[in-house]
Amino acid sequence: MSRIEATVEELLGLLPEVDELELLRLRIIGAAVPDPGKAWDSSSAYATVDKRIVSAEEVDRAVQEAEESLRSYIASLYEGLRPIFRSFYAGQKDEAALQLVALGEQMEGGGRLKGARQCYRSALAISLPLLDKGPQILALRRIGRVSLTLGDFQESGSHYERSAQLARDAGEVRGEVVARTGYANVLAWQGRWVEADARYREALALLEGLDGPVPSVERAQLFNNLGNIDTWLERLDDAERLLGQALEMWRTLSSPHDMAICYINTAHLLEQQGRFADARAAYEQAFEQPVPHALRSGISSDMAEMCLREGHLSQAEEWGRVAEEHAIRSGSVYMLGRMYQGRGNIARARRDEDGFTFFEKALEIARDKGYPFLEAETLRDYAELRRQTGGTEEAQAYLERAREIFHELGAVRNLAGVDDVLAELRLRNESLFESGPEEPEHPLAAAGD
């Protein structure tokens, strides 16, 4: 029997697991729309992108667009290889290494993160014996950057450290500043905020020793980062001062992405101060910047989390759906996973067991694409939903696996948090064993908006 539409799940099931079809998968996801026939079905509230539908016409268009994009990508890939070979045969290995970095940057910009890392590793291998350490310093930094994006904190940190050391030995102050900033970013992601703060300040001192207090992208980014760290360390007055100075610099430097990050960090600060209306305005200013859909998805997820803290569950769900639309349009599988983790937390706040579908989808993406930090955070949050719905043993297993990953990544603050929850869970189990079965927990009433 013929049909005019199919679900994303059905269509992706038709595609072999080959890398060349990854772009087509993303195009199909991007073309999908919610099933209008299930708009009033209660289960639609928990439907992931797999349950969206795509018409036959849209699939044809997706295939054509993906084929054209793949042809263009292959052509640019081989075009990028030609100058690398020419430089190599001309004895210019430093140029070959830099061209490999440029090729990796092109791939990274297109979301091909693992391919980009391979280009950077090839550049590093070529540059190792060279007297000019510039290409090696740059290749190390690029490996550090893409590894951080992939959630591989240990690899990222080690490469940033090596880059900073080489830059210092070579007298390349600006390169050392960037590498030190990158290493501090890794420490921040690991929750090692005091150490991150020290490394950011070392980088700032180096930069100001070179340029003085002159506004620059590097200086403004450091102010962004220091303001964010001060927020986490609850030095709120310092955070407000630094982020205000960063915002003034971004107004002269014209970098919408970095300005949006500054507004996001400011919103986090305002939330800590309990100024939720001002935080909402800061998020909206970030959202208004001409930034990619991936960042808009992240901003929407942050808005949803803030609504949860305020007890506005319906608003949180609305922002969760906005985050989903932008994640789909971004073509970023990582943002899809991060967004579904956030939507799972919204369902958890309602103590709604059906929210497991969001956590399961986030885990599927994290494991399939190799995003360990996302996997660990999702397991941690999923465990609480399982605990709420009576799955204590399953919750403990999720937490123990999350603990293993956080330990491997060196994410000390996350690790400590999971240890606290595990200790509480074990104490609770011991208490239940001594006193007998307890009454099931009743869901709390949802807060009104």
Side-chain angles (χ1 to χ4, degrees), residues 255-257 259-261 263 284-292 296:
S255 176
H257 186 276
M259 181 174 276
I261 297 296
Y263 277 127
E284 288 170 353
Q285 286 175 305
F287 200 83
E288 289 169 5
Q289 300 302 310
V291 294
R296 288 183 188 277

Side-chain angles (χ1 to χ4, degrees), residues 201-214:
R201 293 184 188 279
E202 288 173 4
L204 182 61
L206 281 171
L207 184 63
E208 291 185 341
L210 182 68
D211 294 340
V214 177

Side-chain angles (χ1 to χ4, degrees), residues 270-281 306 309-310:
L270 293 166
E271 284 188 67
Q272 285 282 84
Q273 294 173 324
R275 297 161 58 187
F276 293 107
D278 291 336
R280 189 182 304 274
M306 186 180 72
R309 294 189 190 101
E310 293 182 281

Side-chain angles (χ1 to χ4, degrees), residues 427-445:
L427 187 63
R428 183 186 181 93
N429 288 344
E430 289 171 7
S431 175
L432 286 174
F433 179 78
E434 292 170 1
S435 60
E438 91 175 326
E439 292 293 318
E441 249 184 295
H442 293 289
L444 298 175

Side-chain angles (χ1 to χ4, degrees), residues 8 40 57 80 133 161 192 195 294 312-313 335 339 409 415 436 441:
V8 168
W40 302 106
E57 181 181 350
K133 296 303 177 185
E161 279 194 294
R192 297 160 64 183
E195 295 173 74
H312 301 319
L313 298 188
M335 288 311 301
M339 174 274 300
L409 295 174
L415 181 61
E441 249 184 295

